[in-house]
Amino acid sequence: VERCAYVAGCDGVSTVRAAELLGIEPSGTIPHSLVLLLGSATEALRAFDEVIERKFPRVALVDTFGDEKFESLEAAAALENPPAAVRLDTPASRRGDFGEILREVRWELDTHGYGGVGIFVSGGIDEEAILELNDFAAGYGVGTRIAGAPPVDFALDIVEIDGDAIAKRGKESGRKDLLRCESCRRRIIVPAETEERLCECEGRFDELLEPLVSGGERAAAAPQLADIRTHAASEIAGLGLSIC
Ligand SMILES: [Zn+2]
């Protein structure tokens, strides 16, 4: 899950072992347990600041006991330098209009001279919430909506044996090519080696399939994680979406 999230554009992962396996630095913020153990958001922030290496940004968790606005202002003033961000992890049951809460926190931070303190949001965040909160939130922590995302249905089927097209009921036999129009990005499936390569929009079709295994051997070296990430970003750009 962490690898897919990172490949698809998330900036980092918070599971330490996953980050080690990916060869990246794990990232995360103060947990509620630290605030509960130390008794307040500012005490937790000060303890974090005291022992965590400087290269990691200070992000104060501000909704454990009190109001988001007042705990944000306290956290912003708690250290010698203001923290990089405050994090709101408010459960949906306490939120009301979450966009309105963020707007208020942003306003108060700006008014008190903490324009450089960002707002980081987590807790039940999905793609719809992100679109609504983007005006005020500088970053998001997303868990369930990625870890529990609906699967894309797929199957592996034999469709050809020794050059003869054959497949089970409900499946189309014969090798196929997956083509994508370089211009309108429409994708079509055609019998392998079809010569027709022109889309109805007059764009040219590119072949998307590449052999992975040939004669029992890997056909090409596995791409590097960074290259897969760059490729994913370019594919998303082609959908008319964007990641920052
Ligand atoms: Zn086209």
Side-chain angles (χ1 to χ4, degrees), residues 181-186 199-205:
C181 172
E182 59 175 9
S183 168
C184 72
R185 317 271 297 179
R186 190 168 69 93
C199 178
E200 45 196 43
C201 82
E202 312 243 303
R204 211 174 54 82
F205 277 118

